[in-house]
Short mmCIF file of all heavy atoms in Angstrom, two decimals:
data_model
loop_
_atom_site.label_atom_id
_atom_site.label_comp_id
_atom_site.label_asym_id
_atom_site.label_seq_id
_atom_site.Cartn_x
_atom_site.Cartn_y
_atom_site.Cartn_z
N MET T 1 89.11 77.74 151.00
CA MET T 1 90.21 78.53 150.51
C MET T 1 90.02 80.00 150.76
O MET T 1 89.06 80.58 150.36
CB MET T 1 90.25 78.21 148.85
CG MET T 1 91.08 79.14 148.12
SD MET T 1 91.08 78.77 146.41
CE MET T 1 89.69 79.71 145.88
N ALA T 2 91.15 80.43 151.27
CA ALA T 2 91.06 82.04 151.64
C ALA T 2 91.91 82.78 150.49
O ALA T 2 92.74 82.22 149.75
CB ALA T 2 91.67 82.23 152.91
N GLN T 3 91.59 84.00 150.30
CA GLN T 3 92.28 84.76 149.42
C GLN T 3 93.03 85.98 150.13
O GLN T 3 92.32 86.63 151.09
CB GLN T 3 91.44 85.48 148.42
CG GLN T 3 90.60 84.36 147.57
CD GLN T 3 90.52 84.65 146.20
OE1 GLN T 3 90.77 85.98 145.68
NE2 GLN T 3 90.02 83.73 145.37
N TYR T 4 94.22 86.33 149.87
CA TYR T 4 95.02 87.35 150.38
C TYR T 4 95.59 88.32 149.30
O TYR T 4 95.88 87.87 148.20
CB TYR T 4 96.25 86.72 151.22
CG TYR T 4 95.72 85.87 152.27
CD1 TYR T 4 95.41 84.40 152.16
CD2 TYR T 4 95.42 86.38 153.59
CE1 TYR T 4 94.98 83.71 153.10
CE2 TYR T 4 94.88 85.55 154.60
CZ TYR T 4 94.67 84.16 154.35
OH TYR T 4 94.20 83.32 155.38
N THR T 5 95.92 89.51 149.70
CA THR T 5 96.40 90.43 148.86
C THR T 5 97.72 91.03 149.30
O THR T 5 97.91 91.29 150.51
CB THR T 5 95.41 91.67 148.50
OG1 THR T 5 94.22 91.09 148.02
CG2 THR T 5 95.94 92.54 147.55
N LEU T 6 98.71 91.18 148.36
CA LEU T 6 99.97 91.65 148.76
C LEU T 6 100.21 92.89 147.77
O LEU T 6 100.27 92.69 146.61
CB LEU T 6 101.04 90.76 148.62
CG LEU T 6 102.57 91.10 148.85
CD1 LEU T 6 102.65 91.57 150.24
CD2 LEU T 6 103.52 89.98 148.51
N GLU T 7 100.35 94.05 148.45
CA GLU T 7 100.59 95.36 147.65
C GLU T 7 102.04 95.69 147.56
O GLU T 7 102.69 95.82 148.64
CB GLU T 7 99.77 96.42 148.21
CG GLU T 7 98.24 96.41 148.23
CD GLU T 7 97.69 96.41 146.76
OE1 GLU T 7 98.36 97.07 145.92
OE2 GLU T 7 96.57 95.94 146.72
N THR T 8 102.56 95.47 146.45
CA THR T 8 104.10 95.73 146.32
C THR T 8 104.41 97.03 145.32
O THR T 8 105.46 97.12 144.86
CB THR T 8 104.85 94.65 145.86
OG1 THR T 8 104.48 94.16 144.53
CG2 THR T 8 104.71 93.41 146.92
N ASP T 9 103.26 97.74 144.94
CA ASP T 9 103.56 98.93 144.11
C ASP T 9 104.56 99.83 144.59
O ASP T 9 104.64 100.05 145.76
CB ASP T 9 102.28 99.54 143.91
CG ASP T 9 101.17 98.68 143.20
OD1 ASP T 9 101.46 97.77 142.44
OD2 ASP T 9 99.93 98.97 143.26
N GLY T 10 105.40 100.28 143.73
CA GLY T 10 106.42 101.14 144.12
C GLY T 10 107.76 100.59 144.63
O GLY T 10 108.79 101.21 144.73
N GLN T 11 107.70 99.25 144.72
CA GLN T 11 108.89 98.57 145.11
C GLN T 11 109.71 98.10 143.78
O GLN T 11 109.23 97.63 142.83
CB GLN T 11 108.58 97.34 145.93
CG GLN T 11 107.99 97.75 147.31
CD GLN T 11 107.80 96.55 148.19
OE1 GLN T 11 108.22 95.44 147.87
NE2 GLN T 11 107.04 96.68 149.30
N VAL T 12 111.06 98.17 143.75
CA VAL T 12 111.87 97.70 142.67
C VAL T 12 112.10 96.27 142.93
O VAL T 12 112.18 95.66 143.97
CB VAL T 12 113.10 98.52 142.58
CG1 VAL T 12 112.78 100.00 142.27
CG2 VAL T 12 113.88 98.50 143.87
N CYS T 13 112.36 95.57 141.84
CA CYS T 13 112.71 94.18 141.86
C CYS T 13 114.08 94.08 142.58
O CYS T 13 114.96 94.86 142.36
CB CYS T 13 112.83 93.66 140.44
SG CYS T 13 111.25 93.48 139.68
N PRO T 14 114.32 93.16 143.41
CA PRO T 14 113.54 91.78 143.47
C PRO T 14 112.52 91.85 144.67
O PRO T 14 111.91 90.89 145.11
CB PRO T 14 114.56 90.71 143.86
CG PRO T 14 115.62 91.57 144.58
CD PRO T 14 115.56 92.80 144.07
N PHE T 15 112.21 93.05 145.27
CA PHE T 15 111.34 93.10 146.50
C PHE T 15 109.97 92.56 146.31
O PHE T 15 109.49 91.79 147.20
CB PHE T 15 111.38 94.41 147.15
CG PHE T 15 112.74 94.85 147.56
CD1 PHE T 15 113.57 95.69 146.93
CD2 PHE T 15 113.32 94.22 148.75
CE1 PHE T 15 114.86 96.09 147.42
CE2 PHE T 15 114.58 94.48 149.26
CZ PHE T 15 115.40 95.40 148.49
N PRO T 16 109.27 92.68 145.26
CA PRO T 16 107.94 91.98 145.12
C PRO T 16 108.10 90.49 145.20
O PRO T 16 107.23 89.86 145.88
CB PRO T 16 107.44 92.46 143.74
CG PRO T 16 108.16 93.79 143.55
CD PRO T 16 109.52 93.64 144.03
N LEU T 17 109.10 89.98 144.62
CA LEU T 17 109.34 88.52 144.70
C LEU T 17 109.77 88.08 146.17
O LEU T 17 109.20 87.15 146.57
CB LEU T 17 110.30 88.10 143.78
CG LEU T 17 110.86 86.70 143.60
CD1 LEU T 17 109.64 85.82 143.19
CD2 LEU T 17 111.89 86.45 142.59
N VAL T 18 110.62 88.80 146.62
CA VAL T 18 111.08 88.48 148.07
C VAL T 18 109.80 88.54 149.01
O VAL T 18 109.56 87.63 149.83
CB VAL T 18 112.09 89.40 148.65
CG1 VAL T 18 112.29 89.26 150.07
CG2 VAL T 18 113.27 89.24 147.83
N GLU T 19 108.93 89.63 148.92
CA GLU T 19 107.77 89.60 149.72
C GLU T 19 106.87 88.54 149.46
O GLU T 19 106.07 88.06 150.38
CB GLU T 19 107.04 91.00 149.72
CG GLU T 19 107.94 92.08 150.34
CD GLU T 19 107.17 93.26 150.61
OE1 GLU T 19 105.95 93.28 150.74
OE2 GLU T 19 107.82 94.35 150.82
N ALA T 20 106.60 88.24 148.17
CA ALA T 20 105.73 87.27 147.83
C ALA T 20 106.08 85.84 148.33
O ALA T 20 105.22 84.98 148.89
CB ALA T 20 105.58 87.02 146.27
N GLY T 21 107.48 85.50 148.27
CA GLY T 21 107.97 84.35 148.90
C GLY T 21 107.71 84.15 150.39
O GLY T 21 107.29 83.17 150.91
N ALA T 22 107.82 85.33 151.01
CA ALA T 22 107.65 85.34 152.53
C ALA T 22 106.11 85.18 152.92
O ALA T 22 105.83 84.42 153.82
CB ALA T 22 108.12 86.65 153.19
N ALA T 23 105.27 85.86 151.99
CA ALA T 23 103.83 85.89 152.37
C ALA T 23 103.24 84.45 152.06
O ALA T 23 102.41 83.95 152.89
CB ALA T 23 103.15 86.89 151.57
N ILE T 24 103.63 83.77 151.01
CA ILE T 24 103.01 82.57 150.67
C ILE T 24 103.34 81.42 151.68
O ILE T 24 102.59 80.49 151.98
CB ILE T 24 103.38 82.09 149.24
CG1 ILE T 24 102.18 81.17 148.73
CG2 ILE T 24 104.74 81.46 149.21
CD1 ILE T 24 102.13 81.10 147.26
N THR T 25 104.41 81.55 152.34
CA THR T 25 104.78 80.60 153.40
C THR T 25 103.84 80.48 154.51
O THR T 25 103.72 79.58 155.23
CB THR T 25 106.27 80.82 154.05
OG1 THR T 25 106.35 82.06 154.65
CG2 THR T 25 107.33 80.74 152.88
N LYS T 26 103.02 81.71 154.88
CA LYS T 26 102.19 81.75 155.87
C LYS T 26 100.72 81.17 155.45
O LYS T 26 99.88 81.23 156.39
CB LYS T 26 102.00 83.31 156.37
CG LYS T 26 103.35 83.82 156.81
CD LYS T 26 103.35 85.30 157.19
CE LYS T 26 104.69 85.81 157.48
NZ LYS T 26 104.73 87.28 157.59
N LEU T 27 100.55 80.87 154.29
CA LEU T 27 99.26 80.51 153.78
C LEU T 27 99.05 79.00 153.88
O LEU T 27 100.12 78.26 153.88
CB LEU T 27 98.99 80.90 152.34
CG LEU T 27 99.24 82.50 151.96
CD1 LEU T 27 98.87 82.52 150.48
CD2 LEU T 27 98.37 83.34 152.87
N ASP T 28 97.81 78.57 154.03
CA ASP T 28 97.50 77.13 153.97
C ASP T 28 97.37 76.72 152.53
O ASP T 28 97.16 77.49 151.58
CB ASP T 28 96.17 76.88 154.66
CG ASP T 28 96.25 77.30 156.23
OD1 ASP T 28 97.22 77.06 156.67
OD2 ASP T 28 95.16 77.68 156.66
N LEU T 29 97.42 75.33 152.35
CA LEU T 29 97.39 74.85 151.05
C LEU T 29 96.06 75.10 150.48
O LEU T 29 94.93 75.11 151.17
CB LEU T 29 97.53 73.29 151.02
CG LEU T 29 98.91 72.84 151.34
CD1 LEU T 29 98.94 71.26 151.45
CD2 LEU T 29 99.86 73.13 150.26
N GLY T 30 95.95 75.47 149.27
CA GLY T 30 94.70 75.91 148.55
C GLY T 30 94.51 77.40 148.62
O GLY T 30 93.59 77.91 147.92
N ASP T 31 95.08 78.12 149.55
CA ASP T 31 94.86 79.59 149.69
C ASP T 31 95.47 80.27 148.40
O ASP T 31 96.44 79.78 147.78
CB ASP T 31 95.42 80.13 150.91
CG ASP T 31 94.74 79.81 152.13
OD1 ASP T 31 93.69 79.23 152.07
OD2 ASP T 31 95.30 80.13 153.23
N GLU T 32 95.00 81.53 148.13
CA GLU T 32 95.48 82.10 147.00
C GLU T 32 96.04 83.53 147.43
O GLU T 32 95.52 84.15 148.40
CB GLU T 32 94.39 82.53 145.88
CG GLU T 32 94.16 81.22 145.19
CD GLU T 32 93.13 81.45 144.03
OE1 GLU T 32 92.22 82.51 144.06
OE2 GLU T 32 93.11 80.72 143.08
N LEU T 33 97.17 83.98 146.77
CA LEU T 33 97.79 85.15 147.03
C LEU T 33 97.78 86.06 145.73
O LEU T 33 98.24 85.62 144.72
CB LEU T 33 99.22 85.00 147.49
CG LEU T 33 100.07 86.25 147.77
CD1 LEU T 33 99.50 86.96 149.00
CD2 LEU T 33 101.51 85.86 148.04
N THR T 34 97.08 87.21 145.85
CA THR T 34 97.09 88.15 144.66
C THR T 34 98.14 89.18 144.95
O THR T 34 98.09 89.92 146.00
CB THR T 34 95.68 88.84 144.46
OG1 THR T 34 94.80 87.79 144.16
CG2 THR T 34 95.76 89.74 143.36
N ILE T 35 99.09 89.23 144.04
CA ILE T 35 100.20 90.30 144.27
C ILE T 35 100.05 91.37 143.26
O ILE T 35 99.92 91.26 142.06
CB ILE T 35 101.53 89.56 144.05
CG1 ILE T 35 101.62 88.33 144.89
CG2 ILE T 35 102.67 90.55 144.12
CD1 ILE T 35 102.47 87.25 144.24
N SER T 36 99.96 92.61 143.76
CA SER T 36 99.90 93.79 142.80
C SER T 36 101.17 94.32 142.82
O SER T 36 101.91 94.67 143.80
CB SER T 36 98.89 94.76 143.51
OG SER T 36 98.90 95.97 142.76
N PHE T 37 101.80 94.69 141.49
CA PHE T 37 103.13 95.18 141.42
C PHE T 37 103.24 96.08 140.14
O PHE T 37 102.34 96.13 139.25
CB PHE T 37 104.09 93.99 141.33
CG PHE T 37 103.71 93.06 140.06
CD1 PHE T 37 104.52 93.24 138.99
CD2 PHE T 37 102.96 92.13 140.14
CE1 PHE T 37 104.31 92.28 137.82
CE2 PHE T 37 102.68 91.26 139.01
CZ PHE T 37 103.40 91.38 137.93
N ASP T 38 104.23 96.89 140.20
CA ASP T 38 104.48 97.74 139.01
C ASP T 38 105.97 97.75 138.50
O ASP T 38 106.39 98.63 137.84
CB ASP T 38 104.07 99.25 139.34
CG ASP T 38 104.76 99.80 140.50
OD1 ASP T 38 105.66 99.15 141.18
OD2 ASP T 38 104.45 101.00 140.85
N CYS T 39 106.59 96.72 138.90
CA CYS T 39 108.15 96.47 138.51
C CYS T 39 107.98 95.48 137.29
O CYS T 39 107.56 94.44 137.34
CB CYS T 39 108.80 95.76 139.59
SG CYS T 39 110.45 95.28 139.15
N THR T 40 108.36 96.17 136.12
CA THR T 40 108.39 95.36 134.94
C THR T 40 109.18 93.96 134.96
O THR T 40 108.53 93.00 134.30
CB THR T 40 108.71 96.17 133.64
OG1 THR T 40 110.13 96.49 133.82
CG2 THR T 40 107.87 97.38 133.56
N GLN T 41 110.19 93.88 135.55
CA GLN T 41 110.93 92.65 135.66
C GLN T 41 110.10 91.55 136.36
O GLN T 41 110.28 90.37 136.16
CB GLN T 41 112.21 92.90 136.34
CG GLN T 41 113.24 93.73 135.56
CD GLN T 41 113.80 94.84 136.37
OE1 GLN T 41 113.13 95.31 137.26
NE2 GLN T 41 114.96 95.29 136.09
N ALA T 42 109.26 92.02 137.29
CA ALA T 42 108.56 91.03 137.94
C ALA T 42 107.44 90.27 137.09
O ALA T 42 106.75 89.31 137.41
CB ALA T 42 107.73 91.69 139.19
N THR T 43 107.14 90.84 135.96
CA THR T 43 106.15 90.24 134.97
C THR T 43 106.67 88.89 134.49
O THR T 43 106.01 87.99 134.20
CB THR T 43 105.92 91.02 133.81
OG1 THR T 43 107.00 91.41 133.00
CG2 THR T 43 105.17 92.35 134.20
N ASP T 44 108.05 88.80 134.52
CA ASP T 44 108.75 87.46 134.26
C ASP T 44 109.05 86.69 135.59
O ASP T 44 108.84 85.49 135.57
CB ASP T 44 109.96 87.70 133.42
CG ASP T 44 110.61 86.48 133.05
OD1 ASP T 44 110.05 85.61 132.51
OD2 ASP T 44 111.86 86.39 133.43
N ALA T 45 109.49 87.37 136.40
CA ALA T 45 110.16 86.78 137.61
C ALA T 45 109.06 86.09 138.56
O ALA T 45 109.24 85.02 139.03
CB ALA T 45 110.90 87.77 138.51
N LEU T 46 107.91 86.77 138.66
CA LEU T 46 106.78 86.16 139.52
C LEU T 46 106.21 84.88 138.87
O LEU T 46 106.05 83.94 139.66
CB LEU T 46 105.81 87.20 139.86
CG LEU T 46 106.13 88.19 140.94
CD1 LEU T 46 105.16 89.36 140.95
CD2 LEU T 46 106.41 87.63 142.24
N PRO T 47 105.87 84.87 137.59
CA PRO T 47 105.34 83.56 137.03
C PRO T 47 106.35 82.56 137.10
O PRO T 47 106.12 81.31 137.46
CB PRO T 47 105.05 84.00 135.54
CG PRO T 47 104.78 85.46 135.59
CD PRO T 47 105.65 85.96 136.73
N ARG T 48 107.71 82.85 136.82
CA ARG T 48 108.70 81.88 136.96
C ARG T 48 108.96 81.31 138.34
O ARG T 48 109.06 80.06 138.44
CB ARG T 48 110.11 82.40 136.45
CG ARG T 48 111.25 81.32 136.21
CD ARG T 48 112.38 82.11 135.67
NE ARG T 48 112.20 83.46 135.93
CZ ARG T 48 113.14 84.37 135.80
NH1 ARG T 48 114.27 84.08 135.51
NH2 ARG T 48 112.93 85.66 136.15
N TRP T 49 108.93 82.12 139.33
CA TRP T 49 109.02 81.77 140.66
C TRP T 49 107.84 80.80 141.02
O TRP T 49 107.95 79.82 141.70
CB TRP T 49 108.96 82.99 141.56
CG TRP T 49 108.59 82.65 143.04
CD1 TRP T 49 109.42 82.23 143.98
CD2 TRP T 49 107.44 82.95 143.61
NE1 TRP T 49 108.72 82.00 145.28
CE2 TRP T 49 107.46 82.50 144.97
CE3 TRP T 49 106.28 83.46 143.22
CZ2 TRP T 49 106.50 82.63 145.94
CZ3 TRP T 49 105.11 83.57 144.12
CH2 TRP T 49 105.30 83.08 145.33
N ALA T 50 106.68 81.14 140.57
CA ALA T 50 105.50 80.32 140.92
C ALA T 50 105.71 78.98 140.26
O ALA T 50 105.39 77.85 140.91
CB ALA T 50 104.15 81.01 140.37
N ALA T 51 106.07 78.86 138.99
CA ALA T 51 106.21 77.61 138.43
C ALA T 51 107.34 76.79 138.96
O ALA T 51 107.15 75.57 139.16
CB ALA T 51 106.56 77.94 136.82
N GLU T 52 108.40 77.49 139.26
CA GLU T 52 109.48 76.72 139.88
C GLU T 52 109.13 76.06 141.34
O GLU T 52 109.71 75.01 141.74
CB GLU T 52 110.75 77.56 140.00
CG GLU T 52 111.36 77.92 138.75
CD GLU T 52 112.53 79.05 138.80
OE1 GLU T 52 112.64 79.57 139.92
OE2 GLU T 52 113.10 79.33 137.83
N ASN T 53 108.18 76.76 141.93
CA ASN T 53 107.74 76.18 143.24
C ASN T 53 106.52 75.42 143.34
O ASN T 53 106.03 75.08 144.36
CB ASN T 53 107.77 77.54 144.17
CG ASN T 53 109.15 78.05 144.67
OD1 ASN T 53 109.71 77.54 145.54
ND2 ASN T 53 109.50 79.00 143.93
N GLY T 54 105.93 75.21 142.08
CA GLY T 54 104.78 74.36 141.96
C GLY T 54 103.35 75.16 142.48
O GLY T 54 102.49 74.47 142.81
N TYR T 55 103.39 76.49 142.46
CA TYR T 55 102.21 77.27 142.65
C TYR T 55 101.56 77.65 141.33
O TYR T 55 102.13 78.39 140.57
CB TYR T 55 102.67 78.52 143.41
CG TYR T 55 103.52 78.40 144.64
CD1 TYR T 55 104.48 79.18 145.02
CD2 TYR T 55 103.14 77.41 145.51
CE1 TYR T 55 105.26 79.09 146.13
CE2 TYR T 55 103.94 77.18 146.77
CZ TYR T 55 104.90 78.08 146.96
OH TYR T 55 105.70 77.97 148.17
N PRO T 56 100.28 77.13 141.24
CA PRO T 56 99.67 77.50 139.99
C PRO T 56 99.27 78.84 139.92
O PRO T 56 98.88 79.51 141.00
CB PRO T 56 98.28 76.63 140.05
CG PRO T 56 98.59 75.57 141.12
CD PRO T 56 99.64 76.12 142.08
N VAL T 57 99.47 79.55 138.79
CA VAL T 57 99.03 80.89 138.56
C VAL T 57 97.58 80.81 138.07
O VAL T 57 97.26 80.26 137.07
CB VAL T 57 99.87 81.67 137.46
CG1 VAL T 57 99.36 82.96 137.13
CG2 VAL T 57 101.32 81.64 137.89
N THR T 58 96.71 81.37 138.77
CA THR T 58 95.17 81.26 138.56
C THR T 58 94.79 82.63 137.84
O THR T 58 93.64 82.58 137.25
CB THR T 58 94.48 81.03 139.77
OG1 THR T 58 94.58 82.03 140.68
CG2 THR T 58 94.77 79.66 140.36
N HIS T 59 95.51 83.66 137.80
CA HIS T 59 95.13 84.89 137.18
C HIS T 59 96.44 85.93 137.03
O HIS T 59 97.23 85.87 137.87
CB HIS T 59 94.20 85.57 138.10
CG HIS T 59 93.21 86.60 137.45
ND1 HIS T 59 92.09 86.18 136.68
CD2 HIS T 59 93.34 87.99 137.15
CE1 HIS T 59 91.45 87.17 136.17
NE2 HIS T 59 92.20 88.18 136.48
N PHE T 60 96.45 86.40 135.89
CA PHE T 60 97.61 87.29 135.53
C PHE T 60 96.96 88.35 134.65
O PHE T 60 96.64 88.12 133.51
CB PHE T 60 98.83 86.59 134.99
CG PHE T 60 100.05 87.31 134.83
CD1 PHE T 60 100.28 88.55 135.60
CD2 PHE T 60 101.07 86.91 133.98
CE1 PHE T 60 101.37 89.13 135.50
CE2 PHE T 60 102.18 87.56 133.97
CZ PHE T 60 102.36 88.76 134.57
N ASP T 61 97.08 89.54 135.12
CA ASP T 61 96.46 90.73 134.38
C ASP T 61 97.31 92.04 134.47
O ASP T 61 97.83 92.28 135.48
CB ASP T 61 95.03 91.09 134.99
CG ASP T 61 93.87 90.23 134.41
OD1 ASP T 61 93.87 89.93 133.30
OD2 ASP T 61 92.93 90.08 135.20
N ARG T 62 97.16 92.63 133.21
CA ARG T 62 97.69 94.08 133.36
C ARG T 62 96.57 95.01 133.62
O ARG T 62 95.55 94.94 132.92
CB ARG T 62 98.38 94.39 132.02
CG ARG T 62 99.02 95.76 131.95
CD ARG T 62 99.69 95.92 130.46
NE ARG T 62 100.53 97.14 130.62
CZ ARG T 62 101.33 97.46 129.75
NH1 ARG T 62 101.68 96.70 128.72
NH2 ARG T 62 102.08 98.55 129.89
N VAL T 63 96.76 95.81 134.64
CA VAL T 63 95.61 96.56 135.10
C VAL T 63 95.91 98.01 134.92
O VAL T 63 95.07 98.97 135.32
CB VAL T 63 95.30 96.34 136.61
CG1 VAL T 63 94.76 94.82 136.76
CG2 VAL T 63 96.60 96.56 137.51
N GLY T 64 97.04 98.36 134.31
CA GLY T 64 97.29 99.80 134.05
C GLY T 64 98.47 99.81 133.17
O GLY T 64 99.02 98.94 132.69
N ASP T 65 98.95 101.10 132.83
CA ASP T 65 100.07 101.28 131.88
C ASP T 65 101.33 100.46 132.36
O ASP T 65 102.00 99.91 131.53
CB ASP T 65 100.48 102.78 131.78
CG ASP T 65 99.27 103.46 130.92
OD1 ASP T 65 98.61 102.81 130.13
OD2 ASP T 65 99.41 104.79 131.07
N ALA T 66 101.49 100.50 133.64
CA ALA T 66 102.71 99.75 134.12
C ALA T 66 102.27 99.30 135.51
O ALA T 66 102.92 99.39 136.46
CB ALA T 66 103.87 100.70 134.36
N GLN T 67 101.25 98.53 135.49
CA GLN T 67 100.78 97.87 136.79
C GLN T 67 100.12 96.56 136.47
O GLN T 67 99.34 96.38 135.46
CB GLN T 67 99.80 98.70 137.46
CG GLN T 67 99.46 98.25 138.87
CD GLN T 67 98.64 99.28 139.73
OE1 GLN T 67 98.19 100.25 139.20
NE2 GLN T 67 98.54 98.92 140.98
N TRP T 68 100.42 95.55 137.22
CA TRP T 68 99.95 94.14 137.05
C TRP T 68 99.40 93.52 138.24
O TRP T 68 99.85 94.04 139.43
CB TRP T 68 100.96 93.33 136.35
CG TRP T 68 101.50 93.71 135.12
CD1 TRP T 68 101.00 93.21 133.96
CD2 TRP T 68 102.66 94.72 134.88
NE1 TRP T 68 101.83 93.93 132.96
CE2 TRP T 68 102.69 94.63 133.52
CE3 TRP T 68 103.32 95.40 135.74
CZ2 TRP T 68 103.70 95.57 132.83
CZ3 TRP T 68 104.23 96.24 135.10
CH2 TRP T 68 104.52 96.34 133.62
N THR T 69 98.59 92.59 138.19
CA THR T 69 98.30 91.68 139.42
C THR T 69 98.43 90.23 138.92
O THR T 69 98.05 89.92 137.68
CB THR T 69 96.80 91.91 139.90
OG1 THR T 69 95.95 91.47 138.84
CG2 THR T 69 96.63 93.34 140.39
N ILE T 70 99.02 89.51 139.78
CA ILE T 70 99.06 88.01 139.49
C ILE T 70 98.56 87.32 140.73
O ILE T 70 98.84 87.62 141.92
CB ILE T 70 100.56 87.60 139.25
CG1 ILE T 70 100.71 86.19 138.89
CG2 ILE T 70 101.57 87.98 140.33
CD1 ILE T 70 101.98 85.68 138.26
N THR T 71 97.84 86.21 140.52
CA THR T 71 97.29 85.41 141.65
C THR T 71 97.76 83.93 141.53
O THR T 71 97.82 83.36 140.49
CB THR T 71 95.68 85.32 141.52
OG1 THR T 71 95.29 86.65 141.64
CG2 THR T 71 95.18 84.46 142.70
N VAL T 72 98.43 83.60 142.64
CA VAL T 72 99.02 82.28 142.75
C VAL T 72 98.48 81.50 143.84
O VAL T 72 98.03 82.09 144.81
CB VAL T 72 100.54 82.31 142.94
CG1 VAL T 72 101.31 83.01 141.75
CG2 VAL T 72 100.93 82.99 144.18
N GLN T 73 98.30 80.23 143.60
CA GLN T 73 97.75 79.37 144.67
C GLN T 73 98.74 78.47 145.31
O GLN T 73 99.75 77.97 144.67
CB GLN T 73 96.67 78.42 144.01
CG GLN T 73 95.96 77.60 144.93
CD GLN T 73 94.93 76.70 144.20
OE1 GLN T 73 95.10 76.13 143.28
NE2 GLN T 73 93.68 76.71 144.89
N LYS T 74 98.65 78.43 146.62
CA LYS T 74 99.61 77.54 147.33
C LYS T 74 99.21 76.12 147.12
O LYS T 74 98.13 75.73 147.58
CB LYS T 74 99.74 78.01 148.76
CG LYS T 74 100.83 77.28 149.47
CD LYS T 74 101.11 77.70 150.90
CE LYS T 74 102.23 76.86 151.58
NZ LYS T 74 102.51 77.49 152.88
N ALA T 75 100.09 75.31 146.55
CA ALA T 75 99.73 73.94 146.34
C ALA T 75 100.79 73.05 146.90
O ALA T 75 101.86 73.44 147.23
CB ALA T 75 99.64 73.71 144.79
#
């Protein structure tokens, strides 16, 4: 299992979600993608996107006043 990071800080929604969708298609099953973002709407949109696509969320943290990271596994 490999781990990848996607930095989307400074991007407004829906771009963190669009970039995450494109990035995860390039991963192998079992790989994890950690997405760093500061768009408050993505705190709802990214976990919902992961659930709708069957990608388990393995980590979700607030790392600053308005910054989060979420890790999803390609399954």
Side-chain angles (χ1 to χ4, degrees):
M1 169 178 82
Q3 300 219 350
Y4 299 91
T5 302
L6 177 64
E7 298 287 340
T8 65
D9 294 338
Q11 295 184 11
V12 296
C13 291
F15 294 106
L17 180 59
V18 170
E19 287 200 21
I24 205 159
T25 63
K26 299 174 184 173
L27 304 185
D28 293 328
L29 288 178
D31 288 352
E32 289 189 334
L33 178 65
T34 299
I35 306 151
S36 175
F37 62 97
D38 58 2
C39 171
T40 57
Q41 292 132 329
T43 60
D44 178 57
L46 285 169
R48 186 176 20 164
W49 161 79
E52 289 171 354
N53 288 281
Y55 303 138
V57 173
T58 60
H59 206 81
F60 190 18
D61 276 325
R62 184 175 192 159
V63 294
D65 287 340
Q67 188 172 11
W68 298 264
T69 61
I70 186 171
T71 302
V72 296
Q73 184 178 47
K74 185 169 184 179

